[in-house]
Amino acid sequence: MGPEERDIEVDSQYTGYIDEEDDDKHTYSSGQSLETGVTHYRYENGRRYHAYREGTYYAPNDDKYAMYESIVHHLWLLTLKDKLFLAPIDNPQTILDVGTGTGLWAMDMADFFPDAEIIGSDLSLIQTTTSYSNIRWEVDDASSEWTYPESSFDFVHVRGLTGCIKDWPNLYSQSYRHLKPGGYFEHLEFSVETSADPTSDRHADQMYTTFSNSILSVGDDKTGMTFRTVEHMKEHMEDAGFVDVVEEKFIWPIGPWPSDPHLKDLGRWGERNWADGLEGWVIALYTRVLGWSYTQVQDFVKSFRAVIKDRNNHYYHEVRCVYGRKPTVEEEQRQTAPGTTGDGGGC
């Protein structure tokens, strides 16, 4: 069944495609015309997924997941103490948000920097508004060769793409190449591993460990799109040539069990993050990759949600924000000048 087929009746366990656009083509502001395949969606197990570059992103793109994305956006704002970024950028004129999703971060940035030109790119056209004159939404695959002019952005932002990219060093290199000298790249990700004790026979520890191990195994052994991204961000950024690289580590409690008021607030939203996001995280991966049935996934989600919402359980997981700067032209020239380590010379 191909994505050119339209208007298929879909039930909760049927896989099909439907085009939700009446037009044969959709044109976005870069001037490129997109064939109908871009605006087709795949329906599977009662959830909607992108059909353009199908399978690249494991999560749904339906309204239910859009509501969940607002929870994650709020979690990041709480984590960064109401900041949209940590990189020391000042009055950026051009900003790229890679994997923009519903575009909440890009819209907040448009308010914060009304004079900046902001591009939000994603595999799906699910952004909820076109009312921002300084934003344009583009359908693009971040893993493909970027077609933007080199040295064109002041700031490139990536958040929450773990498990979706096969070649992270290439994405870092593309970000480096398309940043202006002196521009910043910032990457924020979460760990799928928690503080659960893998040696414990407690039901809760076993549930969290089973989840983490299964997700890590899918990325490492099946899809080639790792869920260990958070561990390698700083290394990838430095290898790409960025300087002044800073890594900030935070925790997201799962439930309001911490005594610290800030962590308690994070925990309330962290619990919702796991409870509301769980089905979207696993349903495609478990059914497509691990061969689970729809019923098996729903039973697992139900059991795991009970663990997540049990206030007697005190777990957390780590998130990180890493940012770095592309050297200025003068700095690059100094790095490659004769007599420096940049040209491979020296004693």
Side-chain angles (χ1 to χ4, degrees), residues 224-263:
M225 293 181 280
T226 183
F227 282 88
R228 302 182 191 273
T229 311
V230 70
E231 302 169 20
H232 305 291
M233 295 153 59
K234 186 173 186 287
E235 168 194 343
H236 289 331
M237 196 169 290
E238 291 172 339
D239 288 346
F242 290 96
V243 297
D244 299 336
V245 176
V246 175
E247 180 180 53
E248 299 281 357
K249 299 179 182 180
F250 308 92
I251 66 165
W252 281 357
I254 306 170
W257 53 265
S259 57
D260 176 83
H262 176 65
L263 290 177

Side-chain angles (χ1 to χ4, degrees), residues 17 23 30 46 67-68 72 74 82 106 124 137 142 146 161 164 172 199 212 233 236 253 274 278 284 290 295 317 322:
Y17 295 91
D23 298 330
S30 69
M67 291 290 291
Y68 161 71
V72 180
H74 185 67
D82 288 329
S124 301
W137 310 115
W146 294 10
L161 293 188
C164 307
Y172 274 70
T199 65
S212 298
M233 295 153 59
H236 289 331
W274 281 74
L278 179 62
L290 299 183
T295 301
H317 62 123
V322 182

Side-chain angles (χ1 to χ4, degrees), residues 82-109:
D82 288 329
K83 295 179 180 178
L84 291 166
F85 52 87
L86 295 184
I89 59 174
D90 182 27
N91 194 31
Q93 297 302 298
T94 48
I95 300 170
L96 174 64
D97 185 26
V98 179
T100 193
T102 55
L104 292 174
W105 183 88
M107 287 184 275
D108 281 353
M109 288 292 282

Side-chain angles (χ1 to χ4, degrees), residues 297-309:
V297 173
Q298 293 303 321
D299 288 345
F300 174 77
V301 168
K302 182 179 179 180
S303 297
F304 197 4
R305 277 184 179 150
V307 170
I308 292 166
K309 293 182 177 183

Side-chain angles (χ1 to χ4, degrees), residues 15 18 21 28 57 96 104 114 116 120 144 152 171 193 212 222 250 261 281-282 284 291 298 302 309 316 334 345:
T15 300
I18 187 167
E21 296 285 342
Y28 65 103
Y57 187 50
L96 174 64
L104 292 174
S144 299
S152 57
L171 189 145
E193 294 184 282
S212 298
K222 304 291 185 180
F250 308 92
W281 298 344
V282 303
Q298 293 303 321
K302 182 179 179 180
K309 293 182 177 183
Y316 64 88
R334 286 198 298 269

